[in-house]
């Protein structure tokens, strides 16, 4: 998942497949994962889920697919008091809470092994070559640095506290688990504007659509994306959106017995989404961390000072020096 | 009541033909356990209000299910189920994740809304007036979970207050007998079990 | 002689059936009825009240409240069950006036008074009438008067008083006001 081709250094003409191979690989794996999860692994009623999502576009969120009038008196009673079709989604959600918690450490181990293998295959980390006294070039403005570092810290905190459930599963809860859980919601709210900011400033592809403008251009991060980086960015945007959207509603729709029947099915499907989003984004974050820390892309001090050595930029991001 | 009654399984039963939506159960529970105003351990619901022949009312709280889903999903395992089937939980372990609410078919778990930034507090729910893991009838237990009437041999506050004896609680066999009697004397109706019993107890 | 020796039907003063007021006239006006000159037939025949005020106004009790509600509205659990004044209105009637469920509406009385209450859709009233509970006080014709309560005595739940819009009409012997039957006009707020 890394496109190390630099535009002007390598041969110009590449076949379509060679050029876009990362997208094809990632897209294919993603399709495979989706197929496995939705058709083989889930016990949720997918027909119901699909119809429910369609119904939401009509701005109806109670999950009552079959019209209320067509239900028998007994069924109407159930639905009005307990909410619709418990068996459609809730058992899957229950299973996610219980069984999959135990799978998670194995999943992380597998991911770690994949990245370790990739590292070995490319012969270890290659740091940027820089002479003793490097000429530093300013790349990130203060605003960008605050946003980037803030995002890293917040995402780190959310990642750790998000697994407060798994953590509490092992340790048995108590004050620390409670604190992790509650602060996850609060910090998650703060992540929503942060995610939005990163989505905007990291949209380096705007350079493909518009003329660079001095006024607005300085808000966007400098440089261009390689294919692998673009995939990471798109994954961040897409799954970050799912997490922000579902996380907001989980926080906002307070559990309340008075509105239970109307809202519970929506809450379940939202939690379903939050879980899925977090699982996928974790992989891509891992991939991003790998490519910035372990592979040769990253120059961590630059994130704090905003300045990168000229040699590093010459080798890996020459377009930044060209003012792109 | 014969002395052979084996209180092996406590269940709730609300007779929708008798419930008049007086909300006595709701208020009795809130008063008995001194609940904060936002927490409604028990609620009364009227379906099809005003429609002739279709309107009925039901009082709903935790059903204390067999194979309780709340107990299954709790990540910190703060639930414990008594021998007589009453499902209770430990508020000191609870981390407020609300998974029990997502898993509950009846919406029984409640959360106070007064945390900072609107975060949820620890879960609270109907205890069938059986308190919690603290020492029985201690001040701490009363403060966290409310009265422990079962330990004193008393009927839970809601059923004790019910003005029409629509809400009953007790051993499953006794309650089933009463249900059967009422259904048969009514002379009609196809209901084979009270509302929610198939989901809660697997009948 | 009052009341009628053999009870006979006398149509209410403000009746939704104005045609019946001709055939079933009320008592003649009574002077010095507990020192009040009380109108009966003259009020009934004054105009066709049902033309401007076509909706039957029903007042009644809520199960968790008692009387004027000053005790029960100061109890937090009882007040939580009915925290504000409302009006049960049939969805068809509400639709005719553009009143949505949960939105505020005005109820106007033939006396010229009005109250602003929240509309609650309910099929337990037919489209020719509305129901309002009697237990609330503290708001007058849309204005919150709760600042007038002495310090610390404001109850948890306040609302418009139903008696603001109940109609003119008094019992022939006891002068008890007719609060259960009357007319009104509803309007979207």
């Amino acid at each position: 998942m890394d496109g190390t081709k630099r535009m002007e250094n390598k041969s110009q003409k590449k076949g379509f497949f060679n050029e876009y191979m990362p997208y094809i690989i990632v897209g294919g794996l993603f399709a495979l994962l989706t197929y496995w999860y939705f058709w083989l692994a889930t016990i949720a009623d997918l027909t119901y889920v699909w119809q429910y999502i369609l119904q939401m576009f009509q701005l109806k969120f109670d999950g009552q697919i079959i019209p209320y009038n067509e239900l028998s008196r007994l069924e109407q009673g159930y639905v009005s008091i307990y909410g619709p079709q418990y068996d459609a989604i809730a058992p899957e959600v229950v299973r996610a809470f219980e069984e999959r918690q135990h799978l998670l450490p194995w999943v992380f181990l597998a991911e770690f092994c994949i990245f370790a293998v990739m590292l070995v295959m490319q012969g270890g980390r290659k740091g940027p070559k820089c002479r003793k006294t490097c000429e530093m070039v300013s790349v990130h403005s203060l605003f960008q640095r605050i946003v980037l570092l803030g995002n890293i810290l917040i995402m780190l905190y959310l990642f750790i506290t998000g697994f407060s459930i798994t953590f509490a599963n092992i340790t048995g809860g108590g004050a620390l688990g409670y604190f992790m859980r509650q602060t996850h919601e609060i910090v998650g709210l703060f992540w929503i504007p942060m995610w939005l900011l990163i989505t905007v400033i990291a949209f380096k592809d705007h350079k493909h659509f518009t003329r660079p403008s001095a006024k607005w251009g300085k808000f966007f991060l400098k440089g261009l994306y390689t294919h692998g980086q673009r995939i990471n960015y798109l994954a961040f945007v897409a799954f970050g959106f799912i997490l922000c959207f579902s996380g907001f509603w989980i926080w906002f729709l307070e559990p309340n017995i008075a509105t239970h029947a109307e809202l519970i099915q929506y809450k379940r499907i939202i939690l379903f989404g939050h879980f899925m989003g977090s699982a996928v984004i974790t992989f891509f974050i891992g991939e991003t961390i790998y490519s910035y820390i372990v592979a040769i892309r990253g120059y961590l001090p630059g994130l704090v000072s905003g300045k990168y050595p000229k040699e590093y930029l010459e080798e890996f991001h020459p377009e930044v020096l060209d003012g792109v | 009541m014969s002395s052979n009654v084996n209180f092996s399984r406590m269940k709730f039963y609300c007779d929708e033909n008798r419930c008049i939506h007086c909300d006595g159960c709701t208020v009795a529970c809130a008063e008995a356990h001194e609940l904060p105003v936002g927490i409604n351990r028990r609620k009364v619901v009227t379906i099809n209000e005003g429609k002739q022949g279709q309107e009925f009312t039901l009082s709903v709280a935790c059903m204390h299910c067999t194979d309780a889903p709340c107990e299954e999903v709790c990540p910190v395992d703060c639930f414990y189920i008594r021998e007589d089937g009453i499902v209770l939980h430990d508020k000191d372990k609870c981390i407020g994740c609300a998974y029990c609410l997502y898993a509950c078919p009846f919406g029984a778990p409640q959360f106070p809304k007064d945390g900072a930034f609107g975060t949820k507090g620890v879960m609270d729910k109907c205890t069938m007036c059986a308190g919690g893991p603290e020492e029985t009838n201690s001040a701490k237990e009363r403060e966290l979970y409310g009265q422990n009437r079962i330990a004193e041999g008393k009927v839970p506050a809601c059923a004790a207050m019910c003005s029409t004896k629509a809400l009953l609680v007790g051993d499953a066999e006794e309650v089933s007998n009463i249900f059967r009697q009422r259904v048969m004397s009514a002379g009609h109706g196809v209901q084979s079990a009270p509302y929610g019993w198939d989901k809660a107890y697997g009948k | 002689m009052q009341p009628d020796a053999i009870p006979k039907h006398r149509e209410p003063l403000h009746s939704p059936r104005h045609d019946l007021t001709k055939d079933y006239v009320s008592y003649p006006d009574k002077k010095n009825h507990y020192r009040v000159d009380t109108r009966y037939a003259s009020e009934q025949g004054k105009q066709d009240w049902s033309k401007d005020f076509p909706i039957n106004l029903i007042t009644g009790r809520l199960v968790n409240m008692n009387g004027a509600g000053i005790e029960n509205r100061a109890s937090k659990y009882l007040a939580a069950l009915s925290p504000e004044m409302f009006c049960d209105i049939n969805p068809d009637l509400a639709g005719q006036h553009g009143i949505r469920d949960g939105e505020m509406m005005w109820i106007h009385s033939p006396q010229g008074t009005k109250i602003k209450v929240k509309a609650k859709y309910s099929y337990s009233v037919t489209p020719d009438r509305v129901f309002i509970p009697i237990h609330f006080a503290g708001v007058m014709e849309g204005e919150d008067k709760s600042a007038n309560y002495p310090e610390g005595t404001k109850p948890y739940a306040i609302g418009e008083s139903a008696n603001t819009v109940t109609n003119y009409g008094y019992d022939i012997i006891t002068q008890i006001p007719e609060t259960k039957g009357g007319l009104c006009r509803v309007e979207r707020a």
Side-chain angles (χ1 to χ4, degrees):
Chain A
M1 246 144 309
D2 80 79
T4 50
K5 324 275 189 280
R6 284 275 79 135
M7 306 180 296
E8 61 277 22
N9 294 339
K10 302 292 176 179
S11 60
Q12 320 306 351
K13 289 276 191 267
K14 282 193 294 288
F16 174 85
F17 284 107
N18 266 338
E19 174 68 29
Y20 295 105
M21 187 55 78
Y23 299 105
I24 295 170
I25 293 177
V26 173
L29 285 174
F30 206 66
L32 212 64
L33 182 75
T34 307
Y35 177 79
W36 168 79
Y37 180 75
F38 281 101
W39 268 260
L40 300 173
T42 190
I43 58 174
D45 183 346
L46 292 168
T47 324
Y48 176 83
V49 172
W50 176 240
Q51 285 175 317
Y52 188 4
I53 293 173
L54 288 179
Q55 196 192 48
M56 284 202 258
F57 286 118
Q58 298 173 22
L59 295 180
K60 283 194 282 232
F61 297 98
D62 58 8
Q64 186 58 40
I65 304 297
I66 307 164
Y68 186 79
N69 304 335
E70 294 174 21
L71 297 173
S72 72
R73 187 166 171 278
L74 187 71
E75 287 166 340
Q76 280 182 346
Y78 273 125
V79 162
S80 302
I81 303 167
Y82 307 132
Q85 285 184 257
Y86 175 81
D87 289 313
I89 302 178
E92 171 66 29
V93 168
V94 165
R95 199 161 145 253
F97 296 151
E98 235 343 78
E99 298 170 13
R100 300 220 197 92
Q101 295 298 310
H102 305 290
L103 271 180
L104 281 171
W106 297 109
V107 172
F108 291 137
L109 189 64
E111 283 181 21
F112 178 77
C113 290
I114 293 174
F115 294 137
V117 163
M118 284 165 67
L119 177 66
V120 165
M121 273 171 48
Q122 72 164 18
R125 187 180 199 275
K126 296 185 190 64
K129 288 186 280 290
C130 181
R131 287 193 303 274
K132 221 181 173 130
T133 52
C134 303
E135 187 190 341
M136 304 301 270
V137 177
S138 183
V139 176
H140 297 310
S141 70
L142 178 66
F143 171 71
Q144 290 174 343
R145 275 180 276 146
I146 290 173
V147 171
L148 285 169
L149 284 172
N151 185 63
I152 290 172
L153 288 172
I154 288 183
M155 285 189 82
L156 199 65
Y157 191 83
L158 288 177
F159 181 83
I160 294 172
T161 55
F163 291 101
S164 65
I165 307 300
T166 321
F167 169 75
N169 209 345
I170 302 165
T171 62
L176 181 60
Y178 181 78
F179 179 77
M180 284 170 77
R181 180 73 195 79
Q182 304 303 328
T183 52
H184 181 84
E185 286 196 353
I186 300 171
V187 175
L189 286 178
F190 284 114
W191 189 51
I192 295 176
M194 194 62 85
W195 167 84
L196 201 58
L197 275 174
I198 298 267
T199 303
V200 169
I201 69 172
F203 184 46
K204 293 186 189 174
D205 287 333
H206 75 282
K207 300 183 179 89
H208 293 297
F209 302 114
T210 58
R211 263 181 311 125
S213 143
K215 187 157 168 254
W216 295 110
K218 65 178 167 64
F219 286 115
F220 295 100
L221 292 176
K222 293 194 181 131
L224 292 172
Y225 276 135
T226 62
H227 296 308
Q229 291 168 339
R230 186 174 292 111
I231 288 171
N232 280 331
Y233 169 71
L234 291 173
F236 174 84
V237 172
F239 296 103
F241 173 73
I242 291 178
L243 285 172
C244 286
F245 185 77
S246 57
F248 173 76
W249 285 117
I250 291 169
W251 169 80
F252 185 72
L253 289 177
E254 288 160 1
N256 185 336
I257 201 171
T259 53
H260 176 82
E262 297 111 63
L263 295 177
I264 187 62
Q265 204 69 329
Y266 181 66
K267 288 185 197 167
R268 287 184 185 129
I269 207 172
I270 280 291
L271 196 70
F272 196 34
H274 199 77
F275 258 43
M276 277 178 6
S278 69
V280 181
I281 210 176
T282 303
F283 177 78
F284 282 103
I285 296 305
E287 210 283 320
T288 307
I289 293 172
Y290 167 80
S291 65
Y292 277 86
I293 294 181
V294 179
I296 52 180
R297 291 287 164 270
Y299 181 70
L300 288 180
L303 270 179
V304 178
S305 68
K307 296 186 171 52
Y308 289 74
K310 194 149 177 248
E311 287 80 354
Y312 168 82
L313 291 174
E314 275 169 359
E315 187 177 348
F316 300 115
H317 298 279
E319 77 276 7
V320 173
L321 288 173
D322 292 337
V324 175
Chain B
M1 244 183 321
S2 76
S3 55
N4 294 341
V5 174
N6 173 17
F7 284 91
S8 56
R9 218 294 178 212
M10 300 284 277
K11 288 186 187 175
F12 274 118
Y13 161 51
C14 182
D15 189 343
E16 77 274 10
N17 296 312
R18 287 200 182 199
C19 182
I20 54 173
H21 202 147
C22 71
D23 271 312
C25 49
T26 314
V27 176
C29 172
E31 279 289 348
H33 305 294
E34 291 171 57
L35 302 176
V37 168
I39 301 275
N40 293 318
R41 288 187 181 182
R42 181 165 280 283
K43 72 169 176 177
V44 178
V45 183
T46 296
I47 317 291
N48 291 329
E49 189 197 4
K51 297 190 182 148
Q52 294 271 7
Q54 293 177 39
E55 176 181 309
F56 70 95
T57 307
L58 211 59
S59 171
V60 185
C62 173
M63 297 287 278
H64 299 275
C65 305
T66 317
D67 287 335
C70 56
E71 193 261 334
E72 271 180 47
V73 301
C74 178
V76 297
D77 284 329
C78 77
F79 287 89
Y80 63 99
I81 306 187
R82 288 165 41 135
E83 277 223 28
D84 53 10
I86 299 179
V87 177
L88 299 173
H89 72 292
D90 185 350
K91 283 193 183 185
D92 288 323
K93 274 201 195 161
C94 174
I95 60 172
C97 69
Y99 285 2
C100 47
L101 172 65
Y102 291 105
C104 176
F106 307 105
Q110 302 284 292
F111 293 86
K113 302 172 190 36
D114 47 12
F117 289 97
T119 56
K120 299 182 263 290
V122 292
M123 191 271 275
D124 182 74
K125 75 168 181 71
C126 160
T127 56
M128 211 187 259
C129 293
E134 309 288 342
E135 190 195 322
T136 303
N137 288 328
S138 62
K140 184 105 194 284
E141 189 201 37
R142 193 190 166 113
E143 188 191 318
L144 282 177
Y145 306 100
Q147 289 183 17
N148 190 337
R149 295 169 68 96
I150 299 282
E152 297 170 9
K154 294 188 198 162
V155 178
C158 51
M161 188 66 71
C162 182
S163 46
T164 55
K165 288 295 156 266
L167 184 61
L168 301 173
V169 61
D171 175 55
E173 249 191 75
E174 293 283 317
V175 170
S176 294
N177 288 340
I178 297 174
F179 173 76
R180 201 174 302 116
Q181 237 180 328
R182 289 185 184 178
V183 168
M184 288 200 319
S185 63
H188 62 85
V190 293
Q191 243 175 293
S192 58
Y195 275 91
W197 275 32
D198 56 345
K199 177 110 287 142
Y201 313 120
K203 273 222 170 321
Chain C
M1 183 197 162
Q2 291 153 0
D4 303 310
I6 297 169
K8 69 177 209 187
H9 179 73
R10 293 183 188 269
E11 190 68 11
L13 301 189
H14 296 157
S15 166
R17 290 285 305 275
H18 188 72
D19 53 318
L20 293 177
T21 61
K22 307 276 189 303
D23 302 321
Y24 302 100
V25 186
S26 184
Y27 293 101
D29 291 355
K30 188 165 179 180
K31 282 183 114 50
N32 198 2
H33 190 17
Y34 290 100
R35 295 200 292 272
V36 179
D37 291 339
T38 313
R39 305 190 297 279
Y40 289 90
S42 67
E43 176 77 12
Q44 188 188 46
K46 189 160 162 204
Q47 63 179 84
D48 180 1
W49 297 104
S50 66
K51 225 162 74 182
D52 294 321
F53 301 94
I55 309 295
N56 200 347
L57 180 70
I58 312 284
T59 62
R61 294 172 183 271
L62 297 176
V63 70
N64 56 308
M65 296 258 162
N66 183 33
I70 191 61
E71 295 157 343
N72 307 110
R73 281 183 286 113
S75 155
K76 56 184 178 181
Y77 303 123
L78 295 174
L81 288 170
S82 54
E84 46 187 346
M85 176 68 172
F86 62 92
C87 166
D88 269 343
I89 184 169
N90 188 289
D92 295 330
L93 176 64
Q96 283 171 26
H97 293 271
I99 300 168
R100 291 167 69 152
D101 193 11
E103 284 191 356
M104 302 305 277
M105 58 186 271
W106 285 106
I107 298 177
H108 297 266
S109 79
Q111 276 77 249
T113 52
K114 59 183 196 279
I115 57 174
K116 189 177 186 187
V117 295
K118 191 171 267 196
K120 173 175 164 271
Y121 277 19
S122 175
Y123 285 102
S124 55
V125 286
T126 47
D128 58 352
R129 71 197 70 182
V130 294
F131 171 88
I132 51 175
I134 65 172
H135 308 285
F136 289 89
V139 178
M140 184 67 172
E141 292 198 342
E143 277 178 41
D144 186 340
K145 300 286 186 190
S146 58
N148 295 341
Y149 281 109
E151 179 84 30
T153 62
K154 180 184 163 185
Y156 294 113
I158 59 166
E160 289 270 13
S161 174
N163 286 348
T164 309
V165 289
T166 49
N167 291 190
Y168 187 95
Y170 298 90
D171 182 75
I172 192 66
I173 297 294
T174 60
Q175 253 257 354
I176 292 177
E178 166 68 273
T179 51
K180 293 300 161 200
L183 295 175
C184 70
R185 170 170 68 86
V186 296
E187 189 191 351
R188 176 183 172 183

